[in-house]
Amino acid sequence: SAVISQKPSRDICQRGTSLTIQCQVDSQVTMMFWYRQQPGQSLTLIATANQGSEATYESGFVIDKFPISRPNLTFSTLTVSNMSPEDSSIYLCSVEGAGGEAFFGQGTRLTVV
Amino acid sequence: RKEVEQDPGPFNVPEGATVAFNCTYSNSASQSFFWYRQDCRKEPKLLMSVYSSGNEDGRFTAQLNRASQYISLLIRDSKLSDSATYLCVVNTDSGGGADGLTFGKGTHLIIQP
């Protein structure tokens, strides 16, 4: 499986500000995925990031709130914009394995105050 | 996206005991199935894929029942280090892509000495 490095590992942010999370993979991958895991909840897919095209967002998530960049096949960023306390969550990037499973970065624990 | 349901627990089990938990899924078109393990404040990690014929990996056995739409995980001779949250994951994408993954909320397992 790929080695996925995600940073920051955690942050405490003021409401109304934005945070950009970075995800670096040690091999080239076609798709990268961004998830959110709210306290006590299951992982929810935010969007799929494809290199060279706009990200594909899931229902309930919009580009203005969660802009994504995918400048090359090993890197992606997710920005959480205009944050509110409801955005406090763990954000995870992932890549796809050979069997359709997901492998995750270490996660970013975000607290908005 | 259809739901994946798990008993949240916690399951409190003495060390050395056998523990089993189930997961049900509602989308009969689901193609592939996985169990993940998530430790506190860590990212989910793939424990094992679940095959139609059932599969075993050391002390862990996974079973799939397509007719009843449930997946099970059996842990034998449980160790203290097995304490974690176990996530049931189902892929409903016909192409098997990782963007089709649906995660359960997880079953919390506590192994007691």
Side-chain angles (χ1 to χ4, degrees):
Chain A
S1 62
V3 176
I4 306 166
S5 300
Q6 185 176 339
K7 59 181 181 181
S9 59
R10 62 178 63 213
D11 208 340
I12 301 173
C13 300
Q14 296 289 326
R15 65 180 69 198
T17 63
S18 298
L19 175 72
T20 296
I21 303 167
Q22 299 180 7
C23 186
Q24 178 77 50
V25 189
D26 69 343
S27 58
Q28 293 184 339
V29 294
T30 305
M31 293 189 292
M32 295 176 71
F33 306 92
W34 288 99
Y35 286 85
R36 180 174 73 182
Q37 187 176 28
Q38 294 179 305
Q41 301 298 312
S42 59
L43 278 76
T44 302
L45 182 64
I46 297 171
T48 302
N50 303 297
Q51 195 271 332
S53 63
E54 275 198 7
T56 304
Y57 288 83
E58 297 297 308
S59 176
F61 298 97
V62 296
I63 188 171
D64 289 346
K65 177 66 177 178
F66 297 101
I68 286 171
S69 78
R70 185 77 202 276
N72 57 54
L73 291 173
T74 63
F75 188 78
S76 179
T77 68
L78 170 77
T79 298
V80 186
S81 302
N82 188 25
M83 288 183 285
S84 66
E86 292 71 33
D87 294 320
S88 298
S89 186
I90 299 172
Y91 293 85
L92 296 145
C93 69
S94 79
V95 301
E96 182 178 348
E101 68 275 42
F103 295 100
F104 293 91
Q106 301 94 327
T108 297
R109 184 176 295 271
L110 172 62
T111 302
V112 183
V113 297
Chain B
R1 184 159 284 158
K2 301 293 185 178
E3 288 188 352
V4 173
E5 296 190 25
Q6 299 180 247
D7 182 342
F11 283 51
N12 287 282
V13 175
E15 188 177 9
T18 296
V19 59
F21 23 84
N22 292 336
C23 159
T24 60
Y25 60 96
S26 57
N27 189 337
S28 59
S30 299
Q31 296 292 318
S32 50
F33 310 87
F34 309 96
W35 282 103
Y36 279 72
R37 171 192 170 125
Q38 186 172 24
D39 293 291
C40 186
R41 299 180 177 273
K42 298 288 188 181
E43 75 276 20
K45 293 184 178 178
L46 179 67
L47 179 65
M48 58 197 305
S49 301
V50 186
Y51 303 122
S52 296
S53 56
N55 49 300
E56 185 174 311
D57 183 1
R59 298 181 293 109
F60 298 84
T61 301
Q63 296 280 351
L64 168 64
N65 185 318
R66 285 190 183 271
S68 301
Q69 295 182 201
Y70 78 81
I71 310 154
S72 65
L73 179 67
L74 179 80
I75 306 175
R76 290 181 299 278
D77 187 24
S78 54
K79 312 292 184 189
L80 295 176
S81 57
D82 294 332
S83 298
T85 298
Y86 290 84
L87 307 177
C88 174
V89 183
V90 175
N91 197 327
T92 58
D93 184 79
S94 59
D99 55 343
L101 295 174
T102 300
F103 289 77
K105 291 184 180 181
T107 296
H108 189 39
L109 175 65
I110 301 170
I111 306 299
Q112 297 176 329

